[in-house]
Amino acid sequence: MQDLKHMITFEKWLEDASNPLVQEAQDEGKYAIGYTCYHMPEVLLNVDNCFSVRMRAPRVGSIDISTYYMSNYTCEFARSLLENSIEGGYRFLDGIAGVDACSAMNRCYEHIEILKCNEKPHFFVTHTDVPYKVEEYNFDQVATQMRLRLLDVMHEKLGTDVSDAAIRKAVELHNEMCRVITEIGNFRKEENPRITGYEFHVICLASYCCPTAKILPLLKETLEELKNRKPDEKNPFRARVVVIGSEVDDLNFTRLLEEAGAMVVADRYCYGSFPGREEIKLNDDEDVVRQIARHYMLTSECPRYMAEEKVQQRKDTADRLAKEFKADGIIYEQMKYCDFWAFERPLASHILTEEYGWPTLSIDRSYNVHNSGQLRTRFQAFVEALEIKKIRRREVM
């Protein structure tokens, strides 16, 4: 297929925690708010003079220093972020919006503060609580947290307009971006897709790491380009898979998987497009922050929510996406030492196979996979198994 015009640019921007669009926005007087979790509503970080930046550590190699502070049995993602912060990788940020969802990430935030990794006079780190289940009263709880511990802090530290009008304007821009990303992602449903899973991963991840207003024109241009793009005459992939699980911001993971012959047709991981790129529907009768809190709580697929109905929702979502995007199998992945996904993954992957009938590969992995030979071998074996199943189905028919 013909190369997408902005693909190399997007890849270049994702090589660092910051990028030229972030710097451009800050030069215009905007403030960058870093965040790491879907429980922190991205849209609230894009109000008025602020914009959100998905925190990543793409260039981190050794994490020995952060391991000294956090031990080697904690999540590699949290340790990598702390290592990057100690090395000066987040000095560009004007604040960090955290949530009390994960103890490892909480320790990361605490050390960033204690070690004074960012010395901007207005820099802040704030935390909000996350409930373990979704109930009506929890919507009020989370909305109150977001006003007291996020919006009020942004207003006090950065002079941000946190009025309902400003919030609704941010939601409108967010929804416009979500519509574009969703339309791009839907091309993966085609029998011979005009976009690869790797390309979509790059595009979607860039939308998390760049100011929405800055990257939206480039996303729209890419969408129009894709509408006229012709796929290769022969589909180069041998299987279609959905990736389910914890945080994946390493492009090499998707590259490695697709080099093994499996196209990623849907991404239900933190932060893929499910959830994360659905429109937020607002009404005029209810508090706007409460509506936003409800949207994120209902759409969240995080195993931090331990209630039975949420456990069932996560399995049903995996099944729905696999059917909708015509997948042959599911890859259930987890970051090493991620407590929540470590409880979820073994049983959920077994149930998806035994009760839902999906061939499922269950793996744990490092934060940065680089060119893992072990992972490549497992991907190749899974693709071959999926091919054999398809051959046998055709023989029966």
Side-chain angles (χ1 to χ4, degrees):
M1 290 184 288
Q2 184 177 356
D3 291 340
L4 295 173
K5 177 181 176 182
H6 298 299
M7 185 56 55
I8 294 177
T9 300
F10 291 157
E11 288 177 315
K12 185 70 175 175
W13 288 347
L14 292 173
E15 289 178 358
D16 289 295
S18 182
N19 60 69
L21 291 189
V22 169
Q23 296 160 15
E24 185 179 310
Q26 288 183 309
D27 289 343
E28 295 172 0
K30 305 288 186 180
Y31 296 103
I33 311 297
Y35 74 116
T36 62
C37 184
Y38 186 76
H39 291 291
M40 173 54 64
E42 174 190 9
V43 68
L44 292 180
L45 307 180
N46 289 288
V47 173
D48 188 34
N49 60 349
C50 294
F51 62 91
S52 63
V53 177
R54 172 76 168 86
M55 292 175 67
R56 303 168 56 245
R59 287 188 180 273
V60 164
S62 167
I63 52 175
D64 290 346
I65 297 176
S66 60
T67 299
Y68 168 79
Y69 287 104
M70 295 181 62
S71 95
N72 59 348
Y73 294 110
T74 53
C75 166
E76 289 188 6
F77 178 45
R79 280 187 280 157
S80 295
L81 294 187
L82 178 57
E83 190 84 21
N84 193 50
S85 189
I86 291 171
E87 293 174 356
Y90 301 126
R91 288 176 184 163
F92 71 95
L93 290 178
D94 298 288
I96 294 176
V99 291
D100 290 326
C102 163
S103 59
M105 193 58 70
N106 285 347
R107 291 178 66 184
C108 171
Y109 298 145
E110 289 169 354
H111 285 305
I112 290 175
E113 278 191 290
I114 293 169
L115 299 174
K116 301 186 185 305
C117 296
N118 187 314
E119 296 184 346
K120 288 185 177 181
H122 56 256
F123 178 78
F124 64 87
V125 178
T126 188
H127 296 251
T128 59
D129 294 335
V130 178
Y132 282 97
K133 60 189 301 186
V134 178
E135 299 286 358
E136 191 71 23
Y137 63 83
N138 290 135
F139 301 149
D140 295 314
Q141 173 198 354
V142 173
T144 300
Q145 292 278 313
M146 291 303 162
R147 286 201 181 274
L148 293 177
R149 296 190 180 182
L150 177 65
L151 295 174
D152 286 357
V153 174
M154 290 164 62
H155 176 70
E156 177 186 348
K157 294 282 188 176
L158 308 174
T160 305
D161 177 5
V162 295
S163 64
D164 286 1
I167 294 172
R168 287 180 177 273
K169 183 178 179 181
V171 172
E172 288 178 8
L173 185 64
H174 175 83
N175 286 348
E176 186 177 3
M177 182 261 293
C178 288
R179 287 191 291 270
V180 173
I181 293 291
T182 298
E183 193 169 350
I184 291 174
N186 282 341
F187 288 126
R188 296 175 295 174
K189 294 179 180 179
E190 297 174 335
E191 184 176 347
N192 185 10
R194 68 189 72 187
I195 185 173
T196 66
Y198 174 80
E199 288 172 329
F200 182 78
H201 192 178
V202 171
I203 292 167
C204 187
L205 190 57
S207 76
Y208 282 111
C209 298
C210 300
T212 303
K214 295 286 185 182
I215 198 170
L216 185 55
L218 303 182
L219 297 176
K220 288 181 175 179
E221 192 174 337
T222 301
L223 173 58
E224 293 305 313
E225 190 179 354
L226 281 165
K227 288 179 179 179
N228 299 308
R229 193 189 203 191
K230 301 297 182 184
D232 293 335
E233 188 172 333
K234 182 181 179 181
N235 189 338
F237 298 105
R238 297 150 59 193
R240 300 164 64 93
V241 297
V242 175
V243 177
I244 306 288
S246 66
E247 197 270 354
V248 180
D249 71 55
D250 182 8
L251 298 174
N252 285 322
F253 178 88
T254 306
R255 191 200 306 272
L256 200 65
L257 182 51
E258 297 202 327
E259 285 176 353
M263 178 180 167
V264 180
V265 292
D267 46 343
R268 209 277 18 102
Y269 51 69
C270 322
Y271 286 141
S273 56
F274 303 108
R277 290 298 172 249
E278 303 94 342
E279 291 185 59
I280 301 172
K281 306 294 185 182
L282 297 180
N283 60 57
D284 297 326
D285 304 320
E286 188 181 359
D287 175 69
V288 64
V289 178
R290 189 180 193 274
Q291 293 182 67
I292 291 171
R294 181 174 61 234
H295 168 85
Y296 280 89
M297 292 174 72
L298 291 177
T299 57
S300 174
E301 302 284 342
C302 179
R304 173 63 161 72
Y305 286 125
M306 299 176 181
E308 185 176 347
E309 60 272 15
K310 271 293 190 180
V311 175
Q312 186 62 46
Q313 175 186 323
R314 291 192 286 272
K315 293 193 287 275
D316 289 344
T317 297
D319 179 57
R320 174 179 59 81
L321 290 175
K323 290 175 179 175
E324 184 178 341
F325 285 81
K326 305 178 183 68
D328 300 304
I330 293 172
I331 293 180
Y332 215 117
E333 58 78 28
Q334 165 218 319
M335 192 88 65
K336 286 183 182 293
Y337 306 117
C338 177
D339 292 338
F340 292 118
W341 285 105
F343 281 108
E344 179 92 358
R345 176 179 61 89
L347 182 58
S349 57
H350 174 77
I351 290 173
L352 286 171
T353 299
E354 298 300 323
E355 297 183 14
Y356 288 81
W358 291 107
T360 305
L361 173 64
S362 180
I363 61 173
D364 67 342
R365 60 176 184 84
S366 299
Y367 171 57
N368 286 319
V369 302
H370 303 294
N371 191 24
S372 169
Q374 182 184 50
L375 207 53
R376 182 186 298 274
T377 299
R378 296 194 67 189
F379 287 159
Q380 290 171 339
F382 187 58
V383 171
E384 290 174 8
L386 293 178
E387 282 189 306
I388 291 171
K389 286 180 182 292
K390 287 195 287 186
I391 291 171
R392 287 175 177 171
R393 281 200 300 268
R394 286 197 294 266
E395 288 175 349
V396 171
M397 295 172 62

